[in-house]
Amino acid sequence: WGSAIAPPLLTMLTLSFGWRAMFVIIGGAGIILALAFWAFYRAPEDSKHLSEEEYRHILAGRDDTSEEEAVTIPWMRFFAYPQTWGIMLGFFSTIWIWNIFLTFLPLFLQSTLGVSIENTGWAASVPYIAAALGAIFAGRVTLVLARKYAMTSMGSKKTILVGGCVGLGVLLCLVPFVHNLALALVVLSLALALVAAVQAQSWAISSDIVPDSHAARFGGIMNFGGYFGGALAPIVTGVVVDATGSYTPSFLVAGLIAVLGGL
């Protein structure tokens, strides 16, 4: 939701007060949020507002502590497992695509679809609203697959991961050939919803692969691999757009990368 609210808000602040003031306002809001988090957040064990039922529900979702203490995996040993490389490569593809949207969506809307600067913020927020809904809806779908079709937790999440990547690849390849703004926003929104769904299930599947006590390290390694895609995507896309004057090759490459991520 933050990504959906930010484009119109930042555009209005920039047009009204200038880009320097925009940074000051957003920076101040971040400091206030940090103070609020420090003042009000409590671990479940320390919270005075949880009911007994809520507290037991939280505890039921944790791994057994005695079993976790018996399993110790050195950090570097994670790289010896194919699951680690698989999830790194899959996350590489989704972060590559996410960063193309993050970096170039406003420019794409202006240069290719003719959206004005004043309206860019509102148009750019639409795909991120879809992304927020996609992440939540994907979690619900995994529960339905597990309960209705007797899938394992791992199997239901892999279905979303693989199916989402393939669908994402198709949608990204369609983007350059849609020239109507409303239709383009539909395609872009569906694509970003699938990106968010795949990202959410990438994090969720970590708890199926390793014990909870190792989830932070495993997730960090997944992020480590993924953000190589995040670093490369803006560079490659910028070079390609400068060389060709078009976003078409970048969307086609991103579509191929999405399908490879599914594999």
Side-chain angles (χ1 to χ4, degrees):
W1 290 109
S3 298
I5 295 169
L9 177 61
L10 298 183
T11 300
M12 287 190 295
L13 289 174
T14 301
L15 292 176
S16 300
F17 306 108
W19 67 268
R20 292 180 176 85
M22 180 269 290
F23 272 97
V24 173
I25 294 169
I26 297 300
I31 293 171
I32 293 171
L33 181 61
L35 292 173
F37 190 83
W38 174 80
F40 296 108
Y41 173 78
R42 296 292 182 271
E45 291 82 359
D46 301 324
S47 176
K48 299 178 181 179
H49 304 290
L50 285 176
S51 67
E52 184 67 22
E53 181 182 357
E54 290 171 324
Y55 183 63
R56 291 185 181 276
H57 180 72
I58 292 170
L59 291 182
R62 294 179 176 178
D63 287 342
D64 183 78
T65 304
S66 60
E67 291 181 7
E68 288 188 30
E69 289 174 350
V71 179
T72 302
I73 305 173
W75 191 85
M76 290 300 295
R77 190 176 296 176
F78 279 106
F79 292 97
Y81 296 103
Q83 292 94 332
T84 303
W85 291 98
I87 205 162
M88 283 172 62
L89 292 170
F91 213 56
F92 176 99
S93 70
T94 57
I95 299 298
W96 177 292
I97 296 160
W98 181 267
N99 272 31
I100 288 178
F101 276 84
L102 193 66
T103 309
F104 291 101
L105 180 58
L107 295 173
F108 173 75
L109 292 171
Q110 292 173 29
S111 64
T112 303
L113 297 175
V115 181
S116 67
I117 294 177
E118 291 82 359
N119 293 323
T120 294
W122 297 104
S125 71
V126 174
Y128 288 104
I129 295 173
L133 297 174
I136 296 173
F137 182 71
R140 183 65 182 173
V141 170
T142 60
L143 291 176
V144 171
L145 291 175
R147 292 171 181 171
K148 190 172 182 178
Y149 299 100
M151 284 188 176
T152 62
S153 177
M154 174 84 76
S156 64
K157 293 182 179 76
K158 284 178 68 175
T159 300
I160 297 296
L161 290 173
V162 176
C165 283
V166 173
L168 175 59
V170 173
L171 288 168
L172 290 172
C173 290
L174 287 176
V175 170
F177 307 103
V178 178
H179 303 293
N180 175 270
L181 177 60
L183 186 56
L185 285 176
V186 170
V187 176
L188 290 167
S189 295
L190 290 173
L192 204 56
L194 288 179
V195 172
V198 171
Q199 286 184 354
Q201 293 311 303
S202 295
W203 285 105
I205 206 171
S206 298
S207 61
D208 293 320
I209 300 173
V210 298
D212 283 351
S213 59
H214 293 76
R217 274 187 285 178
F218 189 77
I221 292 171
M222 178 181 74
N223 236 17
F224 164 76
Y227 274 92
F228 279 104
L232 288 172
I235 297 172
V236 173
T237 303
V239 169
V240 170
V241 172
D242 274 348
T244 65
S246 170
Y247 285 92
T248 298
S250 296
F251 277 111
L252 296 178
V253 169
L256 175 62
I257 287 175
V259 176
L260 293 176
L263 293 176

